[in-house]
Amino acid sequence: MIAETMTPPSATLDPATSLMDRLRAETRGPHERVEAVAFSAAITQERITREAYVAQLHAWRVILGALERALDARASDPLVAAIWRPHGQRKTPRLDADITHLDPAATGAHPGAQLAALEYADHLAGAPTLALLGHLYVHEGSALGGLVLRKHLSAALGLGDDGLRFHAGNGRDTMPRWRAFKARVDGAGLDLASQDAVIRAANDAFDRTGFVLVTLSEMVA
């Protein structure tokens, strides 16, 4: 199922290393595994099908809906309040728009992927705040890659803005928003033990996301 990823001992770190720098370095392996999944390759090679893309949108809606609900439920937590900006970071409205455009009858979900997504959603519902931050890091960062994937999806599926709103992110504001998110995370001043917890959760997020993509890969075999 979900592989566990070890975090390097924080005692050996340069105190000047920021949490965002650590996240980038210490999640590289799981991140690269997600990019190597057959479903991910099908997008970049522009051989993705409309059915497979719709199935992915349904799975992502389950996962991101759960993450957003969990963060909203912790809105009074000082750490969540310092980092989570629901009006700018919420992704489910764009997913809903894409699904409504491409699958108005909502019949295009993949059973295996939906089950994996629901298991992930259940995990998020009970996750502690530091873990939620790790998962938020992964899914917030995916917006940068989404701008690249959008071009491949458009070429493969012949879609314009309608159907690709999720991957369009915030358009030209995507990178500035990411920089602002990085600043908020680093500005939270987490101690090394708390940083380690965030990094473990981020690795878990990549592993769980990759598992969903593996179940979807049978659609592009």
Side-chain angles (χ1 to χ4, degrees), residues 81-134:
I83 294 170
W84 171 236
R85 298 290 185 271
H87 296 297
Q89 292 179 273
R90 204 180 300 281
K91 294 176 174 56
T92 49
R94 294 195 293 272
L95 278 167
D96 288 339
D98 288 343
I99 291 170
T100 297
H101 178 73
L102 296 169
D103 186 28
T107 58
H110 179 276
Q114 286 299 100
L115 178 58
L118 286 167
E119 290 176 350
Y120 188 174
D122 286 344
H123 174 76
L124 289 170
T129 299
L130 289 170
L132 291 178
L133 179 55

Side-chain angles (χ1 to χ4, degrees), residues 1-216:
M1 291 291 291
I2 307 301
E4 292 188 3
T5 306
M6 297 300 293
T7 301
S10 57
T12 64
L13 288 172
D14 180 344
T17 302
S18 72
L19 174 53
M20 290 298 289
D21 286 340
R22 289 192 65 196
L23 280 162
R24 181 177 181 180
E26 296 176 38
T27 64
R28 183 173 291 115
H31 191 172
E32 289 176 350
R33 287 197 293 273
V34 169
E35 292 180 339
V37 171
F39 190 92
S40 301
I43 295 178
T44 57
Q45 294 167 7
E46 298 179 3
R47 53 183 179 81
I48 192 75
T49 65
R50 184 184 179 107
E51 291 76 17
Y53 173 55
V54 168
Q56 183 194 31
L57 292 176
H58 279 289
W60 271 200
R61 179 60 176 83
V62 171
I63 294 165
L64 291 172
L67 179 59
E68 291 173 6
R69 288 192 299 274
L71 289 164
D72 287 343
R74 312 280 179 85
S76 60
D77 185 301
L79 181 57
V80 173
I83 294 170
W84 171 236
R85 298 290 185 271
H87 296 297
Q89 292 179 273
R90 204 180 300 281
K91 294 176 174 56
T92 49
R94 294 195 293 272
L95 278 167
D96 288 339
D98 288 343
I99 291 170
T100 297
H101 178 73
L102 296 169
D103 186 28
T107 58
H110 179 276
Q114 286 299 100
L115 178 58
L118 286 167
E119 290 176 350
Y120 188 174
D122 286 344
H123 174 76
L124 289 170
T129 299
L130 289 170
L132 291 178
L133 179 55
H135 288 269
L136 178 62
Y137 163 80
V138 170
H139 293 291
E140 190 68 14
S142 69
L144 300 177
L147 296 177
V148 177
L149 295 179
R150 183 184 183 279
K151 297 177 182 178
H152 294 300
L153 288 162
S154 178
L157 303 176
L159 295 173
D161 290 340
D162 289 336
L164 291 173
R165 297 186 185 282
F166 172 66
H167 286 90
N170 294 106
R172 294 180 179 179
D173 287 337
T174 301
M175 180 56 76
R177 286 175 182 268
W178 172 248
R179 293 193 184 107
F181 173 71
K182 289 175 62 177
R184 294 197 300 274
V185 171
D186 285 336
L190 296 180
D191 60 30
L192 289 179
S194 296
Q195 289 185 21
D196 287 347
V198 173
I199 293 165
R200 284 194 298 271
N203 279 316
D204 181 52
F206 277 119
D207 288 337
R208 290 177 184 274
T209 299
F211 185 69
V212 175
L213 291 175
V214 167
T215 65
L216 287 167

